[in-house]
């Protein structure tokens, strides 16, 4: 019996090339997307940790001025600690923002570090391109891969540094993987030069910074060591630790993996629904043949096997192609990603995740096919041979039960009939419509909310204002705070002024090493600038403070708790009166009132002024006017939210969101197209009858439109409110890491509801196209 | 001829000039009484003053002494620094070139200096000469380290270095006082006239105006017996030493020296359509252009004794209304000397005062300000009551009754070395020493080289905030402390001073030259010896050679014996009042790769060189520490 089953299955495959192509391609797309996503998630930690261990990388980098910290004492102390495996000799370093390639200034702080003799085993550097030397030669520089990629720098190119006369050139000798600064997302980054190179371009009197690398037994040793280091050495300088390097690397990696997984799951659902509907469609059209097979002795199991084998054969062909495709895609994605991040190699096993994923998908395909094919096994041979189609009593009952059948147009009536006829596919279509509408509306409104940052900066933790003034107290004819405020208040075009200054404090919390934090000290109630709190109130009294959400979470402090800080050289206990969100400092910071700071420093005065103009006043002209009026006593700037770099980030974010929405619209397009084709195939008999009774193709198209646009209506009805309701929650979770817990969503009514006719139009066009294709 | 005229001026009694009316004698008496009162009741060691009316000098005299502790009196011929009044000379030079038709005020700078640019070329291309002279170019206010250069090409090198800077504001939009801008104007004068700035000013302005005791060339200072001025001390001024001239800033006022009498000639020319005797330096219309407001800026605030009204800037001159009079004026400040010149155009009256103390830095809450002194001089001349203009109307806001705990005081004692920037160029690379005096109070000395450039007490207002108290303006000082209370450094006048801690050097020795012409400190692990008049040191890993370069170029020849593999550009910087140039190189000798760092400075026409050498690849953080220690400790007695 095996041979007839195989032969029938093979014939089935050849008989329905379009449908099988659809099933095969759906499975292939799902498999191609799923395997890399699983591979990436399974191996997400591994490349970084492997690379870090293999390169013997320091878990802790300390950057300090050798005049502040006695490096010999520090090294001696470190060498006596149990957690420490090895310590690097201090490497002279110089931070510059002046590095230029061709005429372009590199928009990054580059730590130029001298690669010292004897430091080659610890913190190894892998050369991706370049010669075999252990160190750069004089006049040469080794740069990380991401820097080379970002500025299209090749081996042999020259990077220039200004010296006040002739710029000093450094020739790129190697493009390397730096175990710490391996991501382009990190600023600063590091480049290596030979020992003694720094005085070629920087006066020796500017060269006091050194970098020490410390390799520990495990990354978990960092915190206890760091705390003791503060206590016993009173270390003062910058430090970079393992968790920072890893999180910078991982954040990009994780986001990419999750996005791929989401797409993969969606593709898989679509593929399974395609299999299910296609299988049902095939069984329906093979109904009479099934009767014949049964009458010649095929058991129900044999019949089910034929259909399962048909799908399995298609699946195997698809998965074979997908396996190769997945492998290629994983290689491509990981290589491009890892190259971007500057990693040396791909120590991720692809085969295992691919095999597991394909096996999983195969099992799922078998399950879905079996579920869809069961009907074929249950088919009665007599009935199949007699009527050629299953009894459709229930559906007809539903169709006849419609109470308004006599009042609605015949096309709408028949469209509804067709809709009910393929009710399982309708569920699938409705789900696709809902998902696409959800993502589209989500993208529109999230993008819109981001673009409104300049209109509603306070929602993002930024002061509401049109112009930012910074007072310069260090000139001969300076304006003091009161004088400047007085003059600003007398300007007729100014609505409101909020003045503040930045203040640095060190948080002293049990169980945490002392950490410097920048906060703002407001002269007026922050509410004047539209600022609000997530919980609690703004600080008013000298002993009150509000914390940004990230700081509050890091130190596990809530409203009513107290926090100890070293501020203005004095240890002070503040009571937390509020928790707020602020995007400007990645969720870290604090707010104080001038009262609090004046109690610590009576000479404190604000230097920054956020100016709100009256409605209708031209911001650009007002900015020029204020600059002219106050000349060198102030610097007049755009507010943070209006600055080009912020707007650039917002534009990129919107592009990303719209790309995501486009993907879902594409999926929707394919789904409608497939469904329409399948429906038309199922309805061949009815269409023939309709043609015979004089129906024109336009009438059939209208009927199809009624059938297809009903799920659209449902999808839109569910998708839009769902997106509006869930959007802020989803975004709040995604942006909590950057200090925004309550995502300030603003609904763009025109675009949101403007999509409705657009979506209907899309549904109509696809229906028309598939109908045309069918004909 | 120049010396004959000079002699005649000395012979003539300075305050008695023929042809004056009898009421002028009264005026002279009243102004003399007034200036005497000023010198008696202030901390100013001395000043010189000249009053000009129409075409004549009404009054010219000196008050006080040239230098505290020395008997020589100030006269109207005492050569003082005029500071930023030089900007009016630079503007006048530009106007002369415009009159000749070789320059247009409204043309962009790039027309005359095609290579001129800032970081944003589009913006700097829009800068015109008028913007430069009216302080609206947007060029930075403060000097960069590139200004510290004493080589002959310093002016051009500085202007070229502006390519690395960003404009503070868009060109032509707002007032931004800019020394750098006037440096650009000075270079334009050089390029168009084909002669150095100093030579042009000498030939086309100073000589025609018989300003024989005026110069923009530092070489003339000694011959003209230019005074050095004073720094701010605790109770009185401290005599200053000659400072290194900032050649690059000459057109902005870093160098020019003059006398009250010479300035009088300049003022006579300005009041008389550019004519002085038979000479004419400028047309009346050019002077009018210079005195036409180009831009407004914030004037003296009410709290500071002004009327809160804006001032205007013309071309190299400021224009204000003070006590109801329209005044054209410009002040100058050099850190040790200052000047103020006011012109009452309607009365055709002008006063210039040159001080041997920088009055822009004086404690305005205790002592009369420069604005107040010269404005009341005008009031006295015009026989109107004195006014309160320029005297603060509010008490010193930094006064307080906080007392620092005795046990906290010692933690602040120590040496603090300047690290970054700041708006007081006087403090550039200074060392601040904080000590407890006999009364256990904290006091500080700012030291440059071996000279004290400011001496003040520390009046703490909180545990980490203090105010400097001396005859100068009170300045806020903020100490940075670690969480464990260790004092790390202090901020003063916008500069950060790092507290010097014991570094890896545990013991130092001071090495002196055989003729005591220099001395510096090195770690005691170094072995040193004298050979061929050079000090040579070696610690087994590195070596140095230090000494005065001879005509034969002994030290330079040491390097030329090697094959040069790589040679860096000369970098300029200053440390402890010395200008240094630094050059790195890599060489090979006998198949050994070596790394060198050559440092040189010019001290009184002699070149001091310090050559540090290590094996290639062995230049470590310790070597940076060693060289910096030498630079911080070196002295040329």
């Amino acid at each position: 019996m095996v041979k007839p089953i195989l032969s029938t299955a093979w014939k089935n495959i050849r008989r329905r090339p379009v449908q099988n192509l659809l099933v095969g391609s759906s499975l292939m797309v799902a498999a191609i997307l799923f395997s890399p996503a699983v591979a990436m998630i399974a191996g997400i930690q591994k490349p970084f940790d492997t690379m870090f261990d293999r390169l013997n990388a320091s878990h802790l980098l300390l950057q300090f001025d050798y005049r502040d910290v006695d490096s010999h004492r520090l090294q001696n102390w470190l060498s006596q600690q149990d957690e420490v495996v090895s310590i690097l000799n201090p490497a002279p370093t110089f931070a510059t923002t002046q590095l230029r390639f061709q005429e372009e200034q590199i928009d990054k702080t580059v730590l130029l570090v001298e690669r010292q003799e004897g430091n080659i085993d610890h913190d190894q550097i892998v050369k991706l391109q370049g010669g075999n030397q252990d160190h750069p030669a004089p006049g040469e520089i080794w740069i990380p891969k991401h820097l080379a990629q970002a500025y299209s720098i090749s081996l042999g190119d020259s990077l220039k540094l200004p010296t006040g006369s002739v710029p000093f050139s450094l020739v790129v000798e190697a493009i390397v993987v730096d175990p710490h600064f391996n991501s382009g997302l990190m600023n600063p980054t590091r480049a290596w030069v030979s020992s003694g190179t720094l005085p070629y371009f920087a006066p020796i009197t500017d060269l006091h910074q050194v970098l020490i690398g410390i390799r520990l037994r495990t990354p978990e040793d960092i915190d206890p060591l760091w705390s003791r280091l503060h206590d016993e050495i009173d270390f003062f300088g910058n430090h970079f630790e393992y968790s920072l390097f890893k999180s910078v690397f991982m954040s990009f990696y994780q986001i990419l993996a999750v996005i791929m997984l989401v797409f993969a799951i969606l593709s898989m659902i679509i593929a399974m629904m395609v299999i299910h509907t296609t299988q049902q469609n095939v069984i329906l059209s093979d109904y009479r043949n099934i009767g014949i097979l049964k009458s010649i002795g095929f058991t129900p199991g044999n019949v089910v096997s034929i259909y399962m084998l048909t799908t399995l054969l298609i699946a195997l062909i698809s998965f074979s192609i997908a396996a190769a495709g997945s492998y290629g895609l994983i290689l491509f994605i990981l290589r491009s990603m890892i190259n971007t991040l500057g990693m040396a190699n791909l120590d991720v096993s692809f085969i295992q995740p691919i095999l597991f994923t394909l096996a999983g998908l195969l099992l799922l395909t078998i399950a879905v096919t079996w579920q869809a094919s069961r009907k074929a096994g249950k088919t009665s041979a007599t009935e199949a041979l007699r009527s050629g189609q299953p009894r459709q009593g229930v559906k007809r009952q539903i169709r006849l039960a419609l109470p308004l059948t006599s009042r609605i147009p015949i096309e709408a009536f028949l469209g509804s009939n067709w809709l009910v006829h393929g009710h399982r596919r309708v569920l699938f279509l409705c789900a696709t419509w809902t998902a696409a509408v959800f993502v589209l509306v989500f993208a529109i409104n999230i993008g819109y909310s981001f673009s409104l940052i300049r209109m509603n900066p306070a929602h993002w933790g930024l002061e509401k204002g049109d112009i930012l003034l910074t007072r310069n107290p260090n000139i001969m004819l300076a304006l003091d705070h009161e004088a400047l405020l007085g003059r600003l208040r007398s300007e007729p075009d100014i609505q409101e002024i909020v003045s503040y200054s930045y203040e640095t404090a060190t948080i002293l919390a049990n169980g945490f090493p002392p950490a410097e934090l920048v906060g703002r000290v407001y002269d007026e109630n922050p509410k004047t600038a539209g600022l609000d709190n997530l919980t609690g109130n703004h600080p008013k009294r000298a002993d009150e403070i509000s914390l940004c959400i990230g700081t509050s979470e890091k130190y596990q402090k809530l409203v009513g708790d107290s926090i100890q800080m070293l501020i203005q050289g004095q240890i002070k206990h503040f009571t937390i009166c509020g928790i707020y969100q602020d995007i400007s400092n990645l969720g870290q910071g604090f707010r104080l009132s001038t009262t609090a700071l004046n109690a610590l420093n009576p000479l404190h005065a604000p230097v920054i002024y956020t100016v709100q103009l009256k409605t209708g006043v031209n911001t650009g002209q007002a900015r020029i006017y204020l600059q002219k009026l106050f000349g060198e006593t102030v610097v007049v700037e755009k507010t943070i939210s209006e600055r080009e770099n912020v707007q650039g980030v917002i534009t990129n974010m919107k592009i990303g969101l719209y790309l995501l929405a486009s993907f879902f619209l594409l999926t929707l397009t394919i789904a409608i197209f497939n469904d329409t084709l399948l429906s038309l195939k199922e309805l061949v008999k009815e269409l023939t009858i309709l043609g015979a009774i004089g129906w024109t193709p336009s009438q059939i198209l209208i009927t199809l439109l009624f059938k297809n646009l009903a799920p659209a209506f449902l999808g839109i009805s569910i998708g839009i409110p769902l997106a509006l309701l869930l959007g802020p929650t989803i975004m709040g979770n995604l942006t909590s890491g950057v200090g925004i817990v309550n995502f300030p969503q603003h609904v763009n009514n025109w675009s949101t509801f403007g999509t409705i006719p657009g979506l209907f139009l899309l549904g109509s066009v696809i229906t028309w196209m598939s109908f045309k294709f069918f004909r | 001829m120049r010396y004959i005229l000079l002699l005649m001026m000395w012979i003539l009694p300075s305050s008695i000039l023929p042809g004056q009316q009898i009421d002028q004698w009264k005026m002279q008496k009243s102004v003399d009484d007034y200036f005497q009162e000023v010198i008696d009741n202030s901390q100013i060691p001395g000043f010189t003053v000249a009053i000009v009316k129409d075409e004549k000098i009404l009054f010219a005299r000196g008050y006080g002494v040239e230098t505290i502790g020395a008997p020589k009196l100030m006269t109207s011929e005492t050569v003082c620094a005029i500071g930023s009044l030089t900007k009016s000379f630079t503007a006048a030079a530009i106007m002369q070139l415009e009159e000749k038709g070789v320059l247009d005020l409204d043309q962009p700078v790039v027309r005359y200096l095609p290579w001129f640019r800032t970081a944003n070329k589009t913006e700097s291309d829009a800068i015109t000469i008028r913007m430069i002279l009216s302080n609206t170019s947007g060029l930075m206010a403060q000097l960069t380290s590139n200004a510290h250069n004493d080589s002959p090409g310093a002016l051009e090198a500085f202007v070229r270095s502006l390519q690395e800077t960003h404009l503070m504001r868009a060109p032509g939009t707002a007032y931004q006082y800019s020394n750098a801008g006037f440096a650009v104007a000075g270079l334009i004068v050089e390029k168009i006239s084909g002669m150095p700035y100093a030579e042009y000013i000498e030939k086309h302005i100073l000589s025609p105006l018989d300003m024989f005791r005026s110069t923009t060339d530092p070489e003339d200072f000694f011959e003209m017996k230019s005074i050095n001025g004073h720094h701010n001390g605790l109770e009185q001024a401290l005599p200053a030493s000659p400072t290194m001239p900032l050649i690059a800033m000459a057109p902005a006022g870093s160098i020019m020296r003059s006398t009250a009498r010479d300035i009088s000639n300049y003022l006579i020319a300005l009041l008389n359509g550019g004519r002085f005797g038979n000479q004419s330096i400028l047309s009346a219309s050019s002077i009018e252009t210079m005195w036409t407001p180009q831009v407004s800026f914030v004037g003296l605030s009410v709290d500071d004794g002004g009327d809160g009204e804006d001032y205007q800037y013309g071309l190299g001159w400021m224009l204000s209304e003070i006590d109801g009079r329209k005044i054209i004026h410009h002040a100058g400040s050099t850190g040790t000397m200052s000047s103020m010149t006011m012109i009452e155009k309607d009365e055709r009256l002008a006063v210039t005062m040159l001080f041997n103390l920088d009055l822009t830095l004086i404690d305005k809450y205790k002592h009369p300000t420069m604005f107040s002194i010269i404005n009341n001089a005008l009031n006295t001349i015009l026989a109107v009551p004195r006014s309160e203009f320029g005297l603060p109307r509010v008490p010193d806001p930094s006064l307080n009754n906080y007392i620092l705990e005795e046990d906290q005081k010692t933690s602040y004692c120590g040496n603090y070395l300047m690290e970054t920037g700041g708006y007081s160029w006087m403090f550039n690379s200074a060392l601040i020493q904080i000590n407890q005096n006999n009364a256990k109070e904290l006091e500080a000395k700012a030291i440059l080289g071996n000279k004290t450039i400011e001496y003040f007490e520390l009046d703490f207002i909180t545990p980490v905030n203090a105010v400097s108290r001396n005859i100068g303006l009170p300045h806020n000082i903020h100490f940075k402390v670690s969480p464990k209370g260790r004092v790390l450094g202090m901020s003063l006048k916008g500069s950060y001073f790092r507290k010097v801690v014991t570094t890896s050097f545990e013991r130092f020795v001071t090495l002196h030259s055989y003729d005591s012409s220099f001395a510096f400190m090195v770690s005691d692990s170094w072995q040193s010896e004298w050979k061929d008049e050079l000090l040579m040191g070696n610690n087994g890993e590195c070596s140095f050679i230090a000494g005065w370069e001879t005509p034969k170029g002994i030290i330079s020849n040491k390097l030329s014996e090697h094959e040069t593999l790589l040679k860096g550009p000369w970098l300029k910087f200053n440390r402890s009042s010395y200008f240094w140039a630094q050059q790195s190189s890599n060489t090979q000798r006998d198949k050994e790769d070596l790394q060198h760092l050559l440092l040189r400075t010019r001290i009184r026409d002699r070149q001091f060189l310090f050559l540090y050498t290590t094996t290639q690849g062995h230049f470590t953080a310790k070597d940076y520490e060693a060289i910096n220690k030498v630079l911080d400790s070196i002295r040329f007695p």
Side-chain angles (χ1 to χ4, degrees), chain A residues 65-68 72 92 114 117 162 195-196 199-200 202 204-205 234 474 568-569 600 603 627-628 632 634, chain B residues 164 169 173 175 177 419 423 462 464-465 476 482 486 498 501 504 582 585-586 595 617 619 624-625 628 631:
Chain A
D65 189 312
Y66 60 67
R67 296 166 300 172
D68 275 344
H72 281 259
E114 290 189 357
E117 295 272 356
S195 151
Y200 270 91
I204 190 86
T205 47
D234 196 12
N474 301 326
Q568 289 282 328
L600 300 165
L603 296 182
Q627 186 63 85
K628 251 192 175 125
E632 63 185 347
V634 298
Chain B
E164 292 166 10
R169 299 153 215 287
T173 55
Y175 178 79
Y177 192 82
E419 172 103 317
Y423 52 91
T462 75
V464 292
N465 291 292
N476 297 346
S482 77
R486 183 161 61 99
R498 182 179 294 277
V501 294
S504 56
Q582 159 194 324
S585 58
N586 279 76
Q595 165 115 33
F619 205 96
Y624 288 107
E625 281 189 71
N628 272 305
L631 286 172

Side-chain angles (χ1 to χ4, degrees), chain A residues 304-596:
Chain A
V304 170
S305 299
I306 289 170
Y307 289 100
M308 286 191 66
L309 200 61
T310 308
T311 311
L312 273 178
L313 282 170
I314 296 167
L316 284 173
I317 295 165
S318 302
F319 288 162
S320 306
I321 300 167
S326 293
Y327 192 83
L329 190 64
I330 293 171
L331 272 179
F332 175 76
I333 293 170
L334 284 185
R335 277 219 173 117
S336 64
M337 182 176 71
I338 284 168
N339 277 343
T340 307
L341 298 180
M343 290 213 26
N345 53 41
L346 304 166
D347 193 24
V348 184
S349 170
F350 303 146
I351 309 297
Q352 247 180 349
I354 289 174
L355 288 179
F356 275 120
T357 311
L358 295 184
L361 277 175
L362 196 62
L363 283 174
L364 198 64
T365 308
I366 290 168
V368 171
T369 314
W370 177 77
Q371 205 278 333
S373 311
R374 273 186 316 164
K375 198 183 273 181
K378 289 177 188 167
T379 304
S380 152
T382 322
E383 186 190 310
L385 286 169
R386 189 168 56 223
S387 63
Q389 60 180 9
R391 280 182 295 176
Q392 293 176 329
V394 177
K395 286 173 194 168
R396 287 182 194 283
Q397 276 173 9
I398 293 168
R399 191 179 54 182
L400 294 170
L402 287 169
L404 300 172
T405 47
S406 57
R407 295 188 194 171
I408 57 173
I410 185 69
E411 289 87 353
F413 174 77
L414 200 60
S416 312
N417 192 355
W418 290 355
L419 194 67
V420 176
H421 177 78
H423 65 276
R424 287 197 180 169
R425 278 208 317 275
V426 169
L427 281 180
F428 162 66
L429 251 191
C430 286
T432 313
W433 268 105
T434 308
V437 172
F438 175 85
V439 175
L440 183 64
V441 173
F442 175 83
I444 286 170
N445 290 305
I446 299 305
Y448 179 65
S449 304
F450 276 116
S451 65
L452 282 185
I453 193 168
R454 68 167 77 180
M455 309 293 290
N456 303 295
H459 295 166
W460 301 80
L462 308 169
E463 296 80 15
K464 188 180 174 191
D466 302 297
I467 295 171
L468 200 69
L469 266 83
T470 307
R471 188 166 58 88
N472 182 1
N474 301 326
I475 53 168
M476 190 82 75
L477 292 169
L479 281 172
D480 64 22
H481 168 62
E482 294 299 334
L484 178 60
L485 204 60
R487 290 190 63 163
L488 285 170
R489 285 194 173 133
S490 67
E491 287 299 324
D493 287 345
I494 292 178
Q495 178 77 42
E496 204 70 70
I497 305 147
V498 173
S499 56
Y500 62 92
S501 57
Y502 288 103
E503 186 66 32
T504 304
T506 305
I507 292 191
L508 308 169
N510 285 337
F512 293 93
E516 274 201 347
L517 197 63
V518 177
R520 292 181 185 197
V521 182
Y522 288 92
D523 202 31
E524 294 81 12
N525 187 340
K527 214 169 184 62
T528 319
L531 297 174
D532 216 338
N533 291 290
L534 295 167
T535 52
N537 302 305
H538 291 301
K540 283 180 190 160
R541 296 202 315 262
D543 63 344
E544 286 184 334
I545 193 170
S546 60
L547 295 183
C548 197
I549 183 74
T551 307
S552 139
E553 283 173 355
K554 181 178 174 186
Y555 294 97
Q556 293 155 15
K557 298 282 182 186
L558 299 169
V559 173
D561 292 349
S562 77
I563 190 161
Q564 195 182 37
M565 286 176 141
L566 175 73
I567 182 166
Q568 289 282 328
Q570 297 157 71
I571 293 175
K572 174 95 182 151
H573 288 268
F574 289 102
T575 303
I576 298 163
C577 62
I579 309 286
Y580 62 93
Q581 60 179 19
D582 183 358
I583 197 171
S584 62
N585 197 23
L586 298 178
Q588 302 296 325
F590 61 87
R591 288 175 184 161
L592 285 175
S593 69
T594 300
T595 319

Side-chain angles (χ1 to χ4, degrees), chain B residues 329-471:
Chain B
H329 59 100
H330 214 295
S333 153
T334 67
T336 56
M337 289 182 265
S338 54
S339 77
M340 180 60 124
T341 301
M342 280 190 173
I343 299 168
E344 222 285 28
K345 200 174 124 195
D346 295 340
E347 293 281 345
R348 300 191 69 213
L349 179 69
V351 184
T352 187
M353 293 184 77
L354 313 180
F355 304 88
N356 61 8
L357 179 70
D358 192 337
L359 289 201
T360 62
L361 306 175
I362 205 78
D363 187 348
K364 62 188 176 186
Y365 301 105
K366 290 185 195 159
H367 307 290
T369 62
M370 198 153 62
F371 254 125
S372 155
I373 292 170
I374 197 162
N375 184 51
N376 278 330
L378 268 180
N379 285 330
T380 308
I381 297 161
L382 296 168
V384 295
R386 291 184 200 172
S387 83
E388 296 288 300
F389 186 88
L391 295 174
R393 295 190 176 94
V394 292
D396 180 355
S398 66
L399 293 174
N400 69 94
N401 53 9
Y402 179 83
I403 296 168
L404 187 71
E405 301 285 334
E406 285 299 322
D407 58 345
Q408 286 183 296
K409 288 180 179 171
T410 48
S411 61
Y412 294 98
C413 293
N415 291 343
Y416 296 74
L417 196 58
M418 187 176 159
E419 172 103 317
T420 53
Y423 52 91
S424 173
W425 58 269
M426 277 297 291
F427 273 38
N428 206 342
S429 78
L431 176 82
I432 291 183
Q433 284 180 342
I434 299 181
N435 297 301
Q436 275 186 289
N437 61 18
N438 293 337
K440 299 287 181 194
E441 295 302 325
L442 288 171
E443 57 181 33
K445 282 180 180 170
I447 296 166
L448 205 57
N450 51 5
K451 292 292 289 184
T452 301
I453 58 166
E454 184 136 6
Y455 186 17
F456 54 90
E457 280 183 347
L458 290 159
D459 174 14
F460 276 80
I461 55 172
T462 75
V464 292
N465 291 292
V467 177
S468 64
R469 301 281 184 208
N470 61 2
I471 64 167

